Amino acid sequence: AVVSTQSTGSSGINAEYGEHFPTVMFRFVVLLTAAAVLESKDCTLMVIGDLNSGRTDPPYSFIKTVTGLPADAKLIDVMNAAVGFTYDATWHSKWGAYITTINGLKADFEEQQYWNIMVGLPGEVMTPSPLGASSYLPRDGERVLFRLKTWGNGDH
């Protein structure tokens, strides 16, 4: 919504709208607020801490839907907003956050363990995230699954 401020011979917005200025501003703020609500999204985080479980279905050791996220929220933002979800990460200047621990369960680098990130909307087959947590932009309603896995066994 844009409020026109073209001059009608007097100066300022009060000259244009006079006594209606508070109503015009109220409508403008309501429209901006409604637009912000329309541009929000929800995302569900799930965790399977069983090493190399090979599954994407329950049971999960953690599940939480985060609602009202900004439309531009990246996965790391969702993780930060999820109550009861904790993580540790190392930061690489080129690749971003590398998740090392989720809810106290550490991926042991010496044992070739890592947190595999799977994504998908309800009803879709979950697939590996094309990007890491600090770069991936979840879709509205998307489910994100963290699975503890090992590499080097041909299954990434």
Side-chain angles (χ1 to χ4, degrees):
V2 176
V3 176
S4 173
T5 59
Q6 294 178 351
S7 176
T8 58
S10 300
S11 63
I13 196 165
N14 282 330
E16 176 92 15
Y17 294 102
E19 64 189 53
H20 301 292
F21 177 70
T23 302
V24 169
M25 285 307 298
F26 174 76
R27 288 182 182 157
F28 180 72
V29 169
V30 168
L31 285 173
L32 287 178
T33 303
V37 169
L38 291 175
E39 293 183 24
S40 68
K41 66 181 172 186
D42 303 337
C43 186
T44 301
L45 297 181
M46 305 172 301
V47 177
I48 296 176
D50 300 329
L51 185 61
N52 294 323
S53 70
R55 62 184 170 82
T56 58
D57 295 325
Y60 304 115
S61 58
F62 177 88
I63 183 168
K64 179 74 172 185
T65 299
V66 183
T67 60
L69 295 158
D72 63 349
K74 292 189 168 65
L75 177 54
I76 200 89
D77 301 319
V78 178
M79 295 163 63
N80 287 328
V83 175
F85 184 89
T86 61
Y87 72 93
D88 291 322
T90 57
W91 187 262
H92 186 278
S93 61
K94 184 175 180 180
W95 305 111
Y98 177 77
I99 308 304
T100 57
T101 305
I102 294 180
N103 292 345
L105 187 56
K106 184 175 181 170
D108 187 340
F109 188 80
E110 297 298 320
E111 296 292 324
Q112 299 182 323
Q113 297 174 358
Y114 71 103
W115 284 102
N116 171 241
I117 305 172
M118 304 287 288
V119 296
L121 291 170
E124 290 182 352
V125 173
M126 298 192 86
T127 58
S129 173
L131 299 169
S134 53
S135 301
Y136 184 68
L137 189 66
R139 299 170 286 173
D140 182 33
E142 192 159 41
R143 301 169 303 143
V144 178
L145 172 64
F146 294 89
R147 298 188 305 177
L148 188 59
K149 293 188 71 171
T150 56
W151 73 82
N153 61 6
D155 181 29
H156 289 259

